[in-house]
Amino acid sequence: MLDAGCGWGETAIEIAQRVGTSGSVVGIDCCGAFLDTARADARAAGLANLTFVEADVQTYAFEPVYDFCFSRFGTQFFENPVAGLRNMRSALRPGGTMTMIVWRGRADNPWLTLSKEVVLRYLPPVKERAATCGPGPFRWRTPRS
């Protein structure tokens, strides 16, 4: 299993615990500081079936060896989402599955907007920029994004 954009490794660790010795997990992320934490947490959990690779998911030279490729909140930050998604797909064996979890819009995540609502009670509003389709947590906020 491949965890693309694994960040601090929480999901990769959870999956490695679930598959146990019958499977293996590779977490890949471009942020070495995140992976340092992920590696330490994996060692503390005693996981021998989990490794982490510091690389860019969009350009890494994957071999088609994975049955499952997963990304939790990682694909929204691709500079080139088409290249990133294609490259994730290239990591899969024929018949493999690729799944990603992404944020919906701010309105569907009130915990993200509450702080702004509170601040606006005390400070004047600032002119907001229009949302873009560039890298960021809400890149895939609608099915057509």
Side-chain angles (χ1 to χ4, degrees), residues 119-137:
V119 167
L120 287 175
R121 292 180 198 158
Y122 303 98
L123 298 174
V126 295
K127 184 177 179 181
E128 291 192 33
R129 296 182 320 168
T132 67
C133 62

Side-chain angles (χ1 to χ4, degrees), residues 1-3 10-27 46-51 66-70:
M1 185 254 152
L2 176 67
D3 185 357
E10 300 99 332
T11 303
I13 288 169
E14 176 75 22
I15 293 169
Q17 290 169 331
R18 288 178 183 239
V19 300
T21 57
S22 66
S24 62
V25 178
V26 173
L47 295 170
N49 63 340
L50 173 57
T51 57
Y66 299 97
D67 295 312
F68 186 64
C69 179
F70 177 75

Side-chain angles (χ1 to χ4, degrees), residues 49-112:
N49 63 340
L50 173 57
T51 57
F52 292 99
V53 174
E54 183 178 349
D56 188 337
V57 173
Q58 298 173 104
T59 59
Y60 187 75
F62 290 111
E63 295 292 326
V65 298
Y66 299 97
D67 295 312
F68 186 64
C69 179
F70 177 75
S71 181
R72 180 180 66 115
F73 309 126
T75 59
Q76 302 111 282
F77 299 99
F78 287 166
E79 183 178 333
N80 183 337
V82 173
L85 294 171
R86 280 187 180 153
N87 206 36
M88 287 168 61
R89 177 66 182 98
S90 76
L92 293 171
R93 291 182 176 145
T97 301
M98 188 169 82
T99 302
M100 63 183 188
I101 296 172
V102 297
W103 291 111
R104 292 181 55 155
R106 286 178 177 92
D108 297 310
N109 294 282
W111 65 273
L112 290 170

